[in-house]
Amino acid sequence: GAMYSDGEPVQNQLDFSLLYQPMFLIRGLFSEITIWMGWLLLAILAFILPGWVILNQLWGKNTLGVFVKTALSAGISLAIYPLLLLWTDLVGVHLGVWNAVFPLLVGVFYLFYRVLRYRRELPAWVNRLRNSIRGDRFWFYAAFVLVLGGIIFSRFWAIRAIELPLWGDSVQHATITQLILDQGGLFTSWEPYAPYQTLTVQYGFAALSAVFAWLTGYSGAYAALVTGQILNILAIVCLYPLSVKVAGGKPWAGLVAMLVAGVLSPMPAFYVNWGRYAQLAGQAVLPVAVWLIWESLDGLKNTGWKQVLLIGTVLAGMALSYYRMVLYFGFFALAILLVYAISKWRLHLDTWKQFVLKMTPVILIAFVWLLPWVLRVSGSILAQSLETGLTRATPVEIIRDDYRGWLRIGESMPTYLLLLGGLSLLVGLIKRNWALGIVALWAVFLAGFKALQLVNFPAANMMQSFAVIIALYIPISLGLGWFSVYLADLIPSTSKKSLLLFLVTLLALAPGVNQARKIVSEPAFAMAKHPDIVAMQWIRQNTPPDALFLVEGFTIYWGTAAVGADGGWYIPLLTGRANTMPPQYALWAEAPRTPGYSAEVVALVTLLEQAPLDSPEALAALCDWQITHVYVGQDHGMVHDLGRQLYALDELQNEYFTRLYARDRVRIFAFNREWCQAE
């Protein structure tokens, strides 16, 4: 809403606190938690259980602990849905809701089958479980439940009052999700939401959001918001097995890594403010993919075709979620290979032969899975932009500006975590923990890769320092996971060690959860506020289907692209009416229905950045575009104080525009097109 002064809305919010009667407070919290439990149940059924089935069938190692197995299953599940949509689309079959229901049913039937087959062993299994949580292990299980519960609570609490996902990236994710829902699978045409006719951008997160929407009946936009928080939970859970491996099998290391990444570090919790969901989806699968390949390298002779098939499949699904993940994974694999070549394999030719024989099929399988998508992307605008990075020199200033982002690293990660993370990696190297050396080397590779754009190195133009900085929670949490058990091992008594780790975890958890639950900055990052959503209802009811809205925006990437700047960006998705600002993914990477349309969008924004809306050249542009309405959002094009308003309200107070709607700070004007005819 808006604060009113003398009957007029102003760009401020009133600050107030609510007091609840205890009974109403309890009822409200119970209602919220009930909804969250439903989300969790669906997340387990859709995003963990299918992967559990695949892991059991293809990995074949029953020695995995339940927490490791659950985390691996989550990563595998998240990887299969993009592949399912890709291959069903290839054969011309769009399953609709069955894209979500079929994997879920397979998992449920498999679970029932396992229960029926091993029902006689269930009492013994229950007894083993009961015995495993006694003694020193009790403190670990108790801490695990508390940490996981705190992470879940903080993620869902943060979005309890949000109606749409935040910031600009969410517009494109919500749009792709809704298009998948509309088409029952993958699509090529972005209509009716944007005039584009190809899909070549990463869509893995949208596929997962569509799965959740099919299971809940939510809209694509709201499903994207909730799915983003579910992935924010799973991205932390999936760090567990990798952290345990780095620490040599110590489960407390995995738990501490979850604590650090889940509630102490602002990343990835802060991703919700940006709608940075594609990177989040990729980073949820990344630790699982790394664990699978690392385990395979540790047991090359025992790696069979099933394991090879599983790794290749996970890699392919991960790539469809976030293209940069190919680089993230590739550098991790390269770090493992270099460290193993120096410390273990050396000139053992038989080992190198096994490596080539086992890992080459992994790459081939991933390529086969991705082949339909590779063929779709080849020759596209996206492929041309990648090719440009190989053939055109990059100015030094661009690289320098990108690396300047590291000067603001403190905005993404607290100084104490940076220092502790660096200290843990340093101590690990001194202690010759090669696993931590791999993690440190991976971070160095990622950070330095952008510089290779100076020599037009392949894919270097795809890397972005900001994307690396906000992923630093991964090496920091892995390092602190190992460091915590290293310090704890200095205590000779096992019982005292477990109790101490439990108390330290508990001490850090409460303030961490309190910080994480308040991570959302909705007034700053909400592209569409509640008054915008109310205005969307008015638009649906009071404007013709062929209406075209001029909306706020600004140019980016040195004037080569443009993005929206307030709730008007959501008009096509929420009302079915057209606007002048397509989703950024579409404008940047897809082919428009009318050649040159993307350039026309940027040209219009560029013109309005330089000329007032009531100027002759601006009015002529509105006529050429056949614009019928002008939308002024709740933030008047100033979301997050960008300071680059495209048109001011006083530019609409003339004979060229007629005000149709005014509520809070939202305004809707009709453009008087009779002026166009007169001209």
PDB file of all heavy atoms in Angstrom, residues 473-496:
ATOM      1  N   TYR A 473      29.169 -19.188  -0.755  1.00  0.00           N
ATOM      2  CA  TYR A 473      28.705 -19.916   0.426  1.00  0.00           C
ATOM      3  C   TYR A 473      29.052 -21.400   0.330  1.00  0.00           C
ATOM      4  O   TYR A 473      29.178 -22.080   1.361  1.00  0.00           O
ATOM      5  CB  TYR A 473      27.189 -19.735   0.601  1.00  0.00           C
ATOM      6  CG  TYR A 473      26.347 -20.481  -0.392  1.00  0.00           C
ATOM      7  CD1 TYR A 473      25.937 -21.789  -0.141  1.00  0.00           C
ATOM      8  CD2 TYR A 473      25.945 -19.900  -1.583  1.00  0.00           C
ATOM      9  CE1 TYR A 473      25.157 -22.483  -1.055  1.00  0.00           C
ATOM     10  CE2 TYR A 473      25.165 -20.579  -2.494  1.00  0.00           C
ATOM     11  CZ  TYR A 473      24.778 -21.883  -2.229  1.00  0.00           C
ATOM     12  OH  TYR A 473      24.012 -22.569  -3.135  1.00  0.00           O
ATOM     13  N   ILE A 474      29.221 -21.915  -0.882  1.00  0.00           N
ATOM     14  CA  ILE A 474      29.525 -23.343  -1.052  1.00  0.00           C
ATOM     15  C   ILE A 474      30.921 -23.666  -0.517  1.00  0.00           C
ATOM     16  O   ILE A 474      31.059 -24.514   0.383  1.00  0.00           O
ATOM     17  CB  ILE A 474      29.356 -23.763  -2.522  1.00  0.00           C
ATOM     18  CG1 ILE A 474      27.898 -23.602  -2.957  1.00  0.00           C
ATOM     19  CG2 ILE A 474      29.806 -25.214  -2.717  1.00  0.00           C
ATOM     20  CD1 ILE A 474      27.649 -23.906  -4.422  1.00  0.00           C
ATOM     21  N   PRO A 475      32.011 -23.056  -1.034  1.00  0.00           N
ATOM     22  CA  PRO A 475      33.328 -23.397  -0.474  1.00  0.00           C
ATOM     23  C   PRO A 475      33.479 -22.987   0.984  1.00  0.00           C
ATOM     24  O   PRO A 475      34.156 -23.684   1.758  1.00  0.00           O
ATOM     25  CB  PRO A 475      34.308 -22.628  -1.377  1.00  0.00           C
ATOM     26  CG  PRO A 475      33.506 -21.534  -1.991  1.00  0.00           C
ATOM     27  CD  PRO A 475      32.134 -22.092  -2.160  1.00  0.00           C
ATOM     28  N   ILE A 476      32.849 -21.870   1.387  1.00  0.00           N
ATOM     29  CA  ILE A 476      32.965 -21.439   2.782  1.00  0.00           C
ATOM     30  C   ILE A 476      32.298 -22.435   3.715  1.00  0.00           C
ATOM     31  O   ILE A 476      32.852 -22.810   4.758  1.00  0.00           O
ATOM     32  CB  ILE A 476      32.366 -20.029   2.951  1.00  0.00           C
ATOM     33  CG1 ILE A 476      33.277 -18.984   2.303  1.00  0.00           C
ATOM     34  CG2 ILE A 476      32.165 -19.692   4.428  1.00  0.00           C
ATOM     35  CD1 ILE A 476      32.715 -17.588   2.302  1.00  0.00           C
ATOM     36  N   SER A 477      31.103 -22.901   3.369  1.00  0.00           N
ATOM     37  CA  SER A 477      30.410 -23.857   4.238  1.00  0.00           C
ATOM     38  C   SER A 477      31.125 -25.205   4.252  1.00  0.00           C
ATOM     39  O   SER A 477      31.209 -25.856   5.305  1.00  0.00           O
ATOM     40  CB  SER A 477      28.962 -24.031   3.778  1.00  0.00           C
ATOM     41  OG  SER A 477      28.895 -24.524   2.450  1.00  0.00           O
ATOM     42  N   LEU A 478      31.674 -25.629   3.119  1.00  0.00           N
ATOM     43  CA  LEU A 478      32.434 -26.882   3.094  1.00  0.00           C
ATOM     44  C   LEU A 478      33.687 -26.768   3.957  1.00  0.00           C
ATOM     45  O   LEU A 478      34.040 -27.705   4.694  1.00  0.00           O
ATOM     46  CB  LEU A 478      32.819 -27.236   1.654  1.00  0.00           C
ATOM     47  CG  LEU A 478      31.672 -27.555   0.684  1.00  0.00           C
ATOM     48  CD1 LEU A 478      32.212 -27.822  -0.710  1.00  0.00           C
ATOM     49  CD2 LEU A 478      30.869 -28.757   1.177  1.00  0.00           C
ATOM     50  N   GLY A 479      34.367 -25.626   3.855  1.00  0.00           N
ATOM     51  CA  GLY A 479      35.567 -25.435   4.669  1.00  0.00           C
ATOM     52  C   GLY A 479      35.265 -25.390   6.148  1.00  0.00           C
ATOM     53  O   GLY A 479      35.951 -26.026   6.961  1.00  0.00           O
ATOM     54  N   LEU A 480      34.214 -24.656   6.546  1.00  0.00           N
ATOM     55  CA  LEU A 480      33.873 -24.563   7.958  1.00  0.00           C
ATOM     56  C   LEU A 480      33.313 -25.872   8.491  1.00  0.00           C
ATOM     57  O   LEU A 480      33.459 -26.170   9.685  1.00  0.00           O
ATOM     58  CB  LEU A 480      32.864 -23.435   8.179  1.00  0.00           C
ATOM     59  CG  LEU A 480      33.442 -22.021   8.020  1.00  0.00           C
ATOM     60  CD1 LEU A 480      32.357 -20.968   8.159  1.00  0.00           C
ATOM     61  CD2 LEU A 480      34.529 -21.776   9.061  1.00  0.00           C
ATOM     62  N   GLY A 481      32.688 -26.662   7.618  1.00  0.00           N
ATOM     63  CA  GLY A 481      32.249 -27.989   8.047  1.00  0.00           C
ATOM     64  C   GLY A 481      33.424 -28.846   8.470  1.00  0.00           C
ATOM     65  O   GLY A 481      33.409 -29.482   9.538  1.00  0.00           O
ATOM     66  N   TRP A 482      34.469 -28.855   7.642  1.00  0.00           N
ATOM     67  CA  TRP A 482      35.663 -29.622   8.005  1.00  0.00           C
ATOM     68  C   TRP A 482      36.349 -29.023   9.230  1.00  0.00           C
ATOM     69  O   TRP A 482      36.768 -29.742  10.142  1.00  0.00           O
ATOM     70  CB  TRP A 482      36.657 -29.630   6.841  1.00  0.00           C
ATOM     71  CG  TRP A 482      37.978 -30.214   7.247  1.00  0.00           C
ATOM     72  CD1 TRP A 482      38.305 -31.524   7.308  1.00  0.00           C
ATOM     73  CD2 TRP A 482      39.126 -29.484   7.717  1.00  0.00           C
ATOM     74  NE1 TRP A 482      39.597 -31.670   7.767  1.00  0.00           N
ATOM     75  CE2 TRP A 482      40.123 -30.438   8.025  1.00  0.00           C
ATOM     76  CE3 TRP A 482      39.405 -28.134   7.892  1.00  0.00           C
ATOM     77  CZ2 TRP A 482      41.380 -30.068   8.498  1.00  0.00           C
ATOM     78  CZ3 TRP A 482      40.655 -27.773   8.358  1.00  0.00           C
ATOM     79  CH2 TRP A 482      41.626 -28.732   8.649  1.00  0.00           C
ATOM     80  N   PHE A 483      36.458 -27.702   9.275  1.00  0.00           N
ATOM     81  CA  PHE A 483      37.186 -27.041  10.353  1.00  0.00           C
ATOM     82  C   PHE A 483      36.533 -27.298  11.707  1.00  0.00           C
ATOM     83  O   PHE A 483      37.216 -27.464  12.727  1.00  0.00           O
ATOM     84  CB  PHE A 483      37.256 -25.539  10.068  1.00  0.00           C
ATOM     85  CG  PHE A 483      38.246 -24.806  10.915  1.00  0.00           C
ATOM     86  CD1 PHE A 483      39.538 -25.272  11.089  1.00  0.00           C
ATOM     87  CD2 PHE A 483      37.893 -23.617  11.547  1.00  0.00           C
ATOM     88  CE1 PHE A 483      40.452 -24.591  11.863  1.00  0.00           C
ATOM     89  CE2 PHE A 483      38.801 -22.919  12.322  1.00  0.00           C
ATOM     90  CZ  PHE A 483      40.085 -23.412  12.478  1.00  0.00           C
ATOM     91  N   SER A 484      35.215 -27.346  11.731  1.00  0.00           N
ATOM     92  CA  SER A 484      34.512 -27.581  12.998  1.00  0.00           C
ATOM     93  C   SER A 484      34.830 -28.958  13.566  1.00  0.00           C
ATOM     94  O   SER A 484      35.072 -29.095  14.773  1.00  0.00           O
ATOM     95  CB  SER A 484      33.002 -27.432  12.794  1.00  0.00           C
ATOM     96  OG  SER A 484      32.516 -28.418  11.896  1.00  0.00           O
ATOM     97  N   VAL A 485      34.843 -29.986  12.717  1.00  0.00           N
ATOM     98  CA  VAL A 485      35.144 -31.329  13.235  1.00  0.00           C
ATOM     99  C   VAL A 485      36.629 -31.466  13.527  1.00  0.00           C
ATOM    100  O   VAL A 485      37.026 -32.239  14.419  1.00  0.00           O
ATOM    101  CB  VAL A 485      34.670 -32.417  12.251  1.00  0.00           C
ATOM    102  CG1 VAL A 485      33.158 -32.400  12.112  1.00  0.00           C
ATOM    103  CG2 VAL A 485      35.324 -32.281  10.891  1.00  0.00           C
ATOM    104  N   TYR A 486      37.461 -30.712  12.817  1.00  0.00           N
ATOM    105  CA  TYR A 486      38.895 -30.734  13.122  1.00  0.00           C
ATOM    106  C   TYR A 486      39.138 -30.202  14.533  1.00  0.00           C
ATOM    107  O   TYR A 486      39.901 -30.792  15.318  1.00  0.00           O
ATOM    108  CB  TYR A 486      39.659 -29.908  12.091  1.00  0.00           C
ATOM    109  CG  TYR A 486      41.081 -29.612  12.486  1.00  0.00           C
ATOM    110  CD1 TYR A 486      42.065 -30.595  12.429  1.00  0.00           C
ATOM    111  CD2 TYR A 486      41.437 -28.340  12.951  1.00  0.00           C
ATOM    112  CE1 TYR A 486      43.373 -30.314  12.811  1.00  0.00           C
ATOM    113  CE2 TYR A 486      42.734 -28.051  13.320  1.00  0.00           C
ATOM    114  CZ  TYR A 486      43.701 -29.043  13.257  1.00  0.00           C
ATOM    115  OH  TYR A 486      44.997 -28.773  13.643  1.00  0.00           O
ATOM    116  N   LEU A 487      38.491 -29.086  14.867  1.00  0.00           N
ATOM    117  CA  LEU A 487      38.642 -28.534  16.208  1.00  0.00           C
ATOM    118  C   LEU A 487      38.024 -29.454  17.257  1.00  0.00           C
ATOM    119  O   LEU A 487      38.578 -29.633  18.351  1.00  0.00           O
ATOM    120  CB  LEU A 487      37.994 -27.145  16.272  1.00  0.00           C
ATOM    121  CG  LEU A 487      38.652 -26.042  15.431  1.00  0.00           C
ATOM    122  CD1 LEU A 487      37.853 -24.750  15.544  1.00  0.00           C
ATOM    123  CD2 LEU A 487      40.097 -25.817  15.882  1.00  0.00           C
ATOM    124  N   ALA A 488      36.854 -30.025  16.914  1.00  0.00           N
ATOM    125  CA  ALA A 488      36.188 -30.912  17.877  1.00  0.00           C
ATOM    126  C   ALA A 488      37.017 -32.157  18.151  1.00  0.00           C
ATOM    127  O   ALA A 488      36.993 -32.694  19.268  1.00  0.00           O
ATOM    128  CB  ALA A 488      34.800 -31.293  17.358  1.00  0.00           C
ATOM    129  N   ASP A 489      37.744 -32.625  17.147  1.00  0.00           N
ATOM    130  CA  ASP A 489      38.557 -33.830  17.333  1.00  0.00           C
ATOM    131  C   ASP A 489      39.726 -33.605  18.287  1.00  0.00           C
ATOM    132  O   ASP A 489      40.367 -34.578  18.718  1.00  0.00           O
ATOM    133  CB  ASP A 489      39.096 -34.311  15.982  1.00  0.00           C
ATOM    134  CG  ASP A 489      38.020 -35.008  15.161  1.00  0.00           C
ATOM    135  OD1 ASP A 489      37.003 -35.420  15.753  1.00  0.00           O
ATOM    136  OD2 ASP A 489      38.191 -35.122  13.932  1.00  0.00           O
ATOM    137  N   LEU A 490      39.991 -32.350  18.615  1.00  0.00           N
ATOM    138  CA  LEU A 490      41.031 -32.079  19.606  1.00  0.00           C
ATOM    139  C   LEU A 490      40.589 -32.475  21.004  1.00  0.00           C
ATOM    140  O   LEU A 490      41.404 -32.603  21.918  1.00  0.00           O
ATOM    141  CB  LEU A 490      41.406 -30.588  19.578  1.00  0.00           C
ATOM    142  CG  LEU A 490      41.965 -30.054  18.244  1.00  0.00           C
ATOM    143  CD1 LEU A 490      42.230 -28.553  18.348  1.00  0.00           C
ATOM    144  CD2 LEU A 490      43.243 -30.803  17.865  1.00  0.00           C
ATOM    145  N   ILE A 491      39.270 -32.669  21.169  1.00  0.00           N
ATOM    146  CA  ILE A 491      38.720 -33.129  22.448  1.00  0.00           C
ATOM    147  C   ILE A 491      38.740 -34.651  22.457  1.00  0.00           C
ATOM    148  O   ILE A 491      38.136 -35.288  21.585  1.00  0.00           O
ATOM    149  CB  ILE A 491      37.279 -32.615  22.644  1.00  0.00           C
ATOM    150  CG1 ILE A 491      37.263 -31.084  22.580  1.00  0.00           C
ATOM    151  CG2 ILE A 491      36.701 -33.107  23.954  1.00  0.00           C
ATOM    152  CD1 ILE A 491      35.874 -30.500  22.618  1.00  0.00           C
ATOM    153  N   PRO A 492      39.393 -35.288  23.393  1.00  0.00           N
ATOM    154  CA  PRO A 492      39.512 -36.754  23.368  1.00  0.00           C
ATOM    155  C   PRO A 492      38.203 -37.483  23.643  1.00  0.00           C
ATOM    156  O   PRO A 492      37.970 -38.560  23.113  1.00  0.00           O
ATOM    157  CB  PRO A 492      40.548 -37.037  24.472  1.00  0.00           C
ATOM    158  CG  PRO A 492      40.476 -35.845  25.376  1.00  0.00           C
ATOM    159  CD  PRO A 492      40.147 -34.683  24.512  1.00  0.00           C
ATOM    160  N   SER A 493      37.346 -36.920  24.460  1.00  0.00           N
ATOM    161  CA  SER A 493      36.108 -37.604  24.826  1.00  0.00           C
ATOM    162  C   SER A 493      35.063 -37.453  23.724  1.00  0.00           C
ATOM    163  O   SER A 493      34.693 -36.344  23.343  1.00  0.00           O
ATOM    164  CB  SER A 493      35.556 -37.031  26.136  1.00  0.00           C
ATOM    165  OG  SER A 493      34.272 -37.562  26.404  1.00  0.00           O
ATOM    166  N   THR A 494      34.567 -38.577  23.201  1.00  0.00           N
ATOM    167  CA  THR A 494      33.567 -38.551  22.135  1.00  0.00           C
ATOM    168  C   THR A 494      32.265 -37.938  22.603  1.00  0.00           C
ATOM    169  O   THR A 494      31.633 -37.151  21.889  1.00  0.00           O
ATOM    170  CB  THR A 494      33.308 -39.973  21.617  1.00  0.00           C
ATOM    171  OG1 THR A 494      34.545 -40.546  21.179  1.00  0.00           O
ATOM    172  CG2 THR A 494      32.328 -39.958  20.459  1.00  0.00           C
ATOM    173  N   SER A 495      31.834 -38.282  23.820  1.00  0.00           N
ATOM    174  CA  SER A 495      30.566 -37.755  24.330  1.00  0.00           C
ATOM    175  C   SER A 495      30.640 -36.241  24.534  1.00  0.00           C
ATOM    176  O   SER A 495      29.708 -35.515  24.197  1.00  0.00           O
ATOM    177  CB  SER A 495      30.197 -38.447  25.640  1.00  0.00           C
ATOM    178  OG  SER A 495      31.213 -38.257  26.618  1.00  0.00           O
ATOM    179  N   LYS A 496      31.739 -35.758  25.082  1.00  0.00           N
ATOM    180  CA  LYS A 496      31.898 -34.318  25.282  1.00  0.00           C
ATOM    181  C   LYS A 496      31.977 -33.591  23.938  1.00  0.00           C
ATOM    182  O   LYS A 496      31.466 -32.480  23.788  1.00  0.00           O
ATOM    183  CB  LYS A 496      33.150 -34.039  26.109  1.00  0.00           C
ATOM    184  CG  LYS A 496      33.043 -34.484  27.559  1.00  0.00           C
ATOM    185  CD  LYS A 496      34.312 -34.139  28.315  1.00  0.00           C
ATOM    186  CE  LYS A 496      34.201 -34.564  29.789  1.00  0.00           C
ATOM    187  NZ  LYS A 496      35.428 -34.251  30.546  1.00  0.00           N
TER     188      LYS A 496
END
